[in-house]
Amino acid sequence: MNQITDMEGKACPVIANHIKVALVGQPNVGKSMLINSVSNSHLHVGNFSGVTVDKTEVLFDYKDYHFTVVDLPGTYAFTEYTIEERVTHNYLCAEEYDIIINVVDSTNLEKNLQLTSELFTMSKKLVIALNMSDEADKEGTVIDADYMSELLGVECIKVSAATKLGIEELIDTVIRNYEHDKNEAKLIFSEPVEEEIAQIIWYLDKHKYEAKNSYRNIAINLLKNNKKTYARLHDNPIWTELQPILIEASQHIELHHNSDDIKEAFAEEYAAFNRGVIAEVVKQKKQVEKKTLTEKIDNVLIHPIAGIPIFLFFMWSLFQLTFEVGAVPMEYIDGFFGWFGDTVGATIANDDIRSLVVDGLIAGVGAVVLFVPNIVILFIGIALLESTGYMSRVAFLLDGFFHKFGLHGQSFIPLVTGFGCSIPAYMSARILKNDRDRLLTLFIIGFMSCGARLPVYVLFAGAFFSPEMAGNVLFIIYISGAMLGLVAAKILKLTAFKGADEPFVMEMPKYRLPSVKLIWHTVLTKTMMYLKKAGTFIAAASMLIWFLSNYPHNLTLEEEYGVKIQNAISEEEERSFQNELATNLLEQSYLGTIGKFSEPIFAPLGFDWKMSVALQTGLAAKEVVVSTLGVLYALGDDVDEENNSLINAISKNISFPSAIAFIVVIMIYLPCLAASIVFTREAGGIKYFFYLLFFTSVTAYTMAFIAYNVTKMLV
Amino acid sequence: MKTLLDCKKACRVKVLKLNAAAELKQRLISFGIMKEAEIEVLEHAPRKSTIEIKVGKMRIALRAEEAGLIEVEKI
């Protein structure tokens, strides 16, 4: 997850020199990156639409002013098609702010101006940031910004968020515009539209209608069927006379455009105006018509036959790397925690406290920290996928396939994010416009095994497969999870989420080489979050599990074995008594009682009570599964998956079919507590949580039962 | 009547009419797919389920169903 200064709901400090800026633009024009270079903050930046799903505020000081910049989700036009568009539109219309910065992509000015011309009819001040001007230069596109400012009546500043060009000039311009009165933008329509606008202005003027916005803008908004403007005028007495004028005007314009859709007519008006502006201010240096780099790469990556195998190869390589490279530093981390536990343990005199710190805290946290290298590699892979633009290509390749299973091609983006962590995945499902599609995707995300489940897989793959095979096993686990997800999607689509299919129209962004800084930052933030979780939540959970597995003390049992151990004739017998004592103590502990109680439920899957308990503690966080197994199977020893004693204990105590069934349950059952909370919020109600609980539990149990019995027959 | 779906790879066409319902039409327009716009077909996904087109400088992916709603003529 990204670092977000979410100031929503908090009042801005009321200071005289305070400028609140709304940052608006189409998706993927570099709004968040621009904010980052303006304020040195670190918002999440990706190369596909919908990275900023909620508005984000950034505060900074410049010269004598305090700035609040609100980064709004990208929107192609003033429609309310997707949630992001609704967020942006509502903010611009209803919230308090001083000035809009419209960020446009200089390399694709014509399309970007489409939104700009809609912003012109707002009552707010406006500055245009011609972003990516360094890229435009490279492509031989020369924009005369001064002439453009003059033509539009709105100041246009060339900037580049990447090279930090023009950033100061942009802010200076914002200040200058803030200090002066608003300039009316010059937006000229075709003659029939101008006639109708003039008529409405004349009418409003006649009745001295009071409004913040100019009469011209009100007239345009009325003609465009802008609901909010309508609502405002509807209760006014002049409405009765205005209505017939409007109806006639609309008919006139529609006739002129040979369309029965006034919005389409206006879109064409804007496009015509923008083409005129482009013709005046943009000079394209003659270039030999050659294929752009993006087209060359696309020829390979989205090839009708080779495309999908290439994608699968990338994913396979990622999991191989995760296992192979990730294993290298693990040894050192493991060694460190062993040494650290011993060193700290030696300083604590009290047996109980020492056991709590060494066996509970250090062992539990160590088991989770151990997987940081694997997590880092996985996060780097996902960050690369996000920031290069490849993500949209895969959505393109897979849409046909996904569609068969009732999923939307764009579902791919939250689903891949789900391989890292379910929480951002649930949030990024907002890019899906249709509520049914979104809910369906939310239900499926859990099937994409998140990074926190990786430790469990690594542990079991290591215990039951040779090291050469383990990477492949990981890949198979992830892929079969995804496949199961698709089947589940189909079932849900045919039962719970019936309905018409949503259109698939998606921008394919240019390929970009991600900056090392950006990747580094994204991965660092996510890794720090993982570590933070290890230090707080996992540490607390480890101590709780330690407590539950050590208490209540049974003095009679201890005394009984104390005598037996003292009278033991050989060292071997002494050790076996000690183990027996440990097992007996564990079985009558709180955790043992819970495990024994739930054991019959899990018996058909071949789980003993220890595995049952591990699954239940895993509901808090998946990392806890490993630490629980560690505590239970090797109480008193170092707990981590590379620790041979735990791997040995697992391969000795757990049969192969039970292990397979266990992995299946981990793959499918309810995501961790934090993710469940986010799921409930994104789905829009607690009832969805219970649906998810029911759905995942039944699926997990059934699949594990099948897996257990099939494996038993085969082995 | 020829639609975008009938176009082969690398074919260049001009949009005549959008037969989509109001909401989808708005979506297409906001991507620059509107009357008079020039479109180049770049790539087909396996079994033509999805197509990639170029409008102006922007590349857009469309599902076959949507492409079938866009009436075009060759230029």
Side-chain angles (χ1 to χ4, degrees):
Chain A
M1 268 297 297
N2 38 8
Q3 244 174 22
I4 283 180
T5 336
D6 195 348
M7 302 287 288
E8 202 183 334
K10 284 182 212 163
C12 282
V14 184
I15 313 165
N17 296 334
H18 187 228
I19 304 182
K20 194 162 187 184
V21 183
L23 205 61
V24 189
Q26 295 198 335
N28 214 18
V29 294
K31 287 182 294 298
S32 299
M33 202 156 152
L34 187 67
I35 273 206
N36 286 350
S37 56
V38 166
S39 63
N40 286 321
S41 60
H42 301 288
L43 299 178
H44 186 45
V45 181
N47 188 13
F48 58 95
S49 61
V51 183
T52 309
V53 284
D54 209 345
K55 57 178 187 289
T56 313
E57 290 195 2
V58 174
L59 307 167
F60 66 94
D61 290 331
Y62 180 78
K63 291 192 176 164
D64 296 334
Y65 287 96
H66 295 287
F67 278 86
T68 305
V69 181
V70 185
D71 184 17
L72 292 164
T75 176
Y76 287 106
F78 258 20
T79 51
E80 305 207 333
Y81 194 83
T82 59
I83 295 186
E84 304 124 55
E85 288 178 1
R86 245 171 280 161
V87 169
T88 303
H89 197 190
N90 285 340
Y91 186 89
L92 289 178
C93 293
E95 300 284 326
E96 286 290 324
Y97 56 93
D98 300 306
I99 193 163
I100 298 172
I101 297 182
N102 175 214
V103 186
V104 300
D105 175 357
S106 304
T107 64
N108 198 355
L109 205 52
E110 189 175 339
K111 188 200 85 187
N112 277 257
L113 285 180
Q114 195 88 353
L115 176 67
T116 309
S117 41
E118 293 202 67
L119 291 173
F120 283 163
T121 55
M122 309 260 327
S123 57
K124 295 286 180 177
K125 292 171 183 171
L126 182 70
V127 171
I128 296 174
L130 299 164
N131 197 13
M132 305 188 187
S133 52
D134 55 326
E135 264 182 62
D137 284 345
K138 268 184 221 149
E139 290 178 15
T141 311
V142 183
I143 301 171
D144 187 342
D146 293 336
Y147 189 25
M148 191 171 161
S149 308
E150 197 184 312
L151 273 183
L152 297 177
V154 170
E155 288 199 69
C156 307
I157 312 296
K158 278 188 186 180
V159 299
S160 165
T163 61
K164 302 210 170 191
L165 175 103
I167 302 290
E168 272 190 30
E169 197 191 344
L170 177 68
I171 303 179
D172 287 335
T173 311
V174 168
I175 296 176
R176 196 168 53 244
N177 273 273
Y178 175 77
E179 287 169 345
H180 293 88
D181 286 339
K182 182 182 185 248
N183 289 334
E184 275 306 318
K186 298 173 199 157
L187 179 61
I188 301 145
F189 295 100
S190 68
E191 218 166 290
V193 179
E194 287 293 343
E195 268 171 36
E196 298 304 336
I197 292 173
Q199 171 128 23
I200 297 169
I201 293 176
W202 172 82
Y203 183 81
L204 290 172
D205 195 41
K206 193 175 90 178
H207 289 268
K208 301 275 171 273
Y209 176 70
E210 275 183 36
K212 245 203 263 172
N213 211 341
S214 69
Y215 285 167
R216 182 180 168 84
N217 286 344
I218 293 173
I220 296 169
N221 285 335
L222 282 172
L223 287 173
K224 272 170 65 188
N225 270 338
N226 183 308
K227 276 190 206 129
K228 291 191 167 89
T229 314
Y230 261 82
R232 219 165 291 142
L233 269 150
H234 201 268
D235 297 331
N236 198 297
I238 62 170
W239 178 251
T240 37
E241 273 181 68
L242 191 57
Q243 198 180 19
I245 299 179
L246 280 176
I247 293 173
E248 206 188 311
S250 298
Q251 279 167 351
H252 182 196
I253 295 169
E254 284 173 4
L255 193 73
H256 179 72
H257 277 271
N258 189 22
S259 160
D260 56 0
D261 188 336
I262 190 80
K263 285 190 173 150
E264 186 178 12
F266 263 92
E268 283 166 20
E269 289 279 341
Y270 287 142
F273 175 75
N274 292 337
R275 267 195 297 274
V277 173
I278 300 284
E280 291 287 326
V281 303
V282 179
K283 299 279 170 287
Q284 184 72 45
K285 277 186 203 153
K286 277 236 172 85
Q287 267 189 324
V288 196
E289 187 78 13
K290 60 168 188 196
K291 281 198 165 178
T292 63
L293 188 63
T294 295
E295 278 162 21
K296 279 184 205 154
I297 298 172
D298 265 351
N299 275 344
V300 181
L301 290 187
I302 61 170
H303 189 271
I305 297 159
I308 290 178
I310 290 174
F311 162 67
L312 289 175
F313 173 75
F314 281 149
M315 295 306 275
W316 176 81
S317 315
L318 178 60
F319 289 115
Q320 284 294 337
L321 274 177
T322 305
F323 196 85
E324 297 288 334
V325 181
V328 178
M330 276 179 137
E331 235 174 274
Y332 301 104
I333 301 177
D334 188 22
F336 169 77
F337 275 97
W339 165 85
F340 187 63
D342 290 343
T343 315
V344 173
T347 63
I348 303 172
N350 184 303
D351 273 349
D352 275 357
I353 295 177
R354 185 175 56 236
S355 177
L356 170 68
V357 171
V358 178
D359 302 330
L361 195 61
I362 295 177
V365 172
V368 174
V369 172
L370 192 65
F371 296 98
V372 165
N374 306 59
I375 301 275
V376 167
I377 294 168
L378 193 67
F379 283 160
I380 290 176
I382 291 173
L384 280 175
L385 205 59
E386 279 179 351
S387 53
T388 51
Y390 185 51
M391 194 92 111
S392 304
R393 269 68 190 186
V394 184
F396 169 77
L397 283 172
L398 292 181
D399 179 66
F401 182 66
F402 269 35
H403 196 194
K404 283 203 183 63
F405 291 95
L407 281 168
H408 197 270
Q410 268 171 300
S411 304
F412 170 76
I413 291 161
L415 291 180
V416 161
T417 315
F419 283 128
C421 172
S422 302
I423 294 171
Y426 286 134
M427 290 169 63
S428 63
R430 293 187 193 182
I431 56 164
L432 290 159
K433 177 238 164 196
N434 182 297
D435 275 348
R436 252 189 340 261
D437 280 343
R438 204 164 54 81
L439 274 173
L440 181 59
T441 309
L442 287 177
F443 273 89
I444 303 307
I445 283 169
F447 284 94
M448 310 302 133
S449 289
C450 69
R453 289 183 233 190
L454 190 67
V456 188
Y457 302 148
V458 174
L459 176 66
F460 277 76
F464 291 96
F465 295 95
S466 67
E468 303 84 60
M469 274 301 289
N472 293 327
V473 170
L474 276 187
F475 179 66
I476 292 169
I477 290 174
Y478 275 83
I479 287 294
S480 50
M483 289 296 170
L484 265 175
L486 288 181
V487 175
K490 185 70 185 173
I491 295 168
L492 285 174
K493 181 79 180 177
L494 290 175
T495 54
F497 299 110
K498 266 186 267 184
D501 290 329
E502 201 51 36
F504 176 76
V505 187
M506 183 191 67
E507 183 179 358
M508 307 263 264
K510 250 184 259 176
Y511 284 110
R512 278 181 215 291
L513 212 58
S515 77
V516 178
K517 202 179 136 202
L518 194 78
I519 299 279
W520 159 251
H521 199 83
T522 314
V523 173
L524 186 73
T525 323
K526 287 183 176 175
T527 311
M528 287 315 286
M529 272 193 50
Y530 181 83
L531 281 172
K532 207 175 130 196
K533 196 166 142 201
T536 53
F537 190 71
I538 309 291
S542 297
M543 287 197 283
L544 185 69
I545 289 161
W546 174 87
F547 172 78
L548 290 175
S549 55
N550 275 282
Y551 288 87
H553 278 315
N554 188 328
L555 289 178
T556 36
L557 208 64
E558 276 170 38
E559 273 168 25
E560 186 187 315
Y561 274 93
V563 177
K564 278 192 193 174
I565 291 167
Q566 267 185 356
N567 298 338
I569 23 177
S570 68
E571 245 182 63
E572 207 173 302
E573 199 185 30
E574 192 182 323
R575 210 177 304 128
S576 92
F577 279 137
Q578 261 164 354
N579 282 343
E580 220 173 289
L581 170 67
T583 315
N584 285 335
L585 279 176
L586 197 56
E587 278 185 26
Q588 58 84 54
S589 68
Y590 293 118
L591 208 58
T593 318
I594 299 171
K596 288 278 180 198
F597 178 74
S598 56
E599 198 177 9
I601 307 172
F602 293 105
L605 309 181
F607 298 173
D608 60 16
W609 69 267
K610 292 172 184 173
M611 294 164 86
S612 313
V613 164
L615 281 182
Q616 288 164 60
T617 54
L619 288 174
K622 301 296 170 229
E623 297 93 329
V624 182
V625 173
V626 174
S627 42
T628 310
L629 284 175
V631 172
L632 294 182
Y633 276 114
L635 196 72
D637 277 345
D638 285 334
V639 181
D640 54 66
E641 107 328 347
E642 286 293 279
N643 185 311
N644 280 332
S645 66
L646 181 56
I647 289 196
N648 285 342
I650 283 189
S651 57
K652 204 166 62 197
N653 288 300
I654 300 176
S655 72
F656 186 63
S658 306
I660 297 287
F662 192 74
I663 289 176
V664 170
V665 174
I666 295 286
M667 268 161 69
I668 304 173
Y669 86 134
L670 202 66
C672 68
L673 184 67
S676 298
I677 292 169
V678 175
F679 168 86
T680 311
R681 202 183 64 207
E682 291 296 318
I686 189 78
K687 69 174 180 188
Y688 291 107
F689 169 74
F690 288 107
Y691 292 157
L692 183 72
L693 176 66
F694 175 76
F695 174 64
T696 51
S697 308
V698 170
T699 319
Y701 197 90
T702 320
M703 293 311 295
F705 184 75
I706 296 169
Y708 177 64
N709 286 294
V710 169
T711 328
K712 216 159 76 176
M713 276 192 291
L714 295 176
V715 178
Chain B
M1 183 189 91
K2 195 180 167 192
T3 71
L4 195 56
L5 189 58
D6 307 318
C7 300
K8 290 204 174 64
K9 193 176 157 176
C11 149
R12 291 185 58 82
V13 292
K14 193 169 84 181
V15 178
L16 293 177
K17 197 165 176 240
L18 303 175
N19 288 320
E23 214 182 31
L24 176 59
K25 197 190 248 181
Q26 281 301 310
R27 184 72 175 166
L28 292 172
I29 288 171
S30 67
F31 276 84
I33 306 171
M34 60 173 85
K35 257 188 265 174
E36 300 293 309
E38 289 178 12
I39 295 180
E40 185 185 345
V41 178
L42 293 181
E43 189 66 84
H44 290 169
R47 268 166 285 138
K48 233 182 175 184
S49 57
T50 322
I51 66 170
E52 189 197 15
I53 59 170
K54 194 172 175 185
V55 184
K57 284 182 175 175
M58 182 175 170
R59 274 172 295 273
I60 300 162
L62 275 177
R63 200 180 275 160
E65 283 91 325
E66 280 82 65
L69 300 173
I70 302 169
E71 252 178 70
V72 294
E73 69 175 8
K74 208 163 175 173
I75 48 170

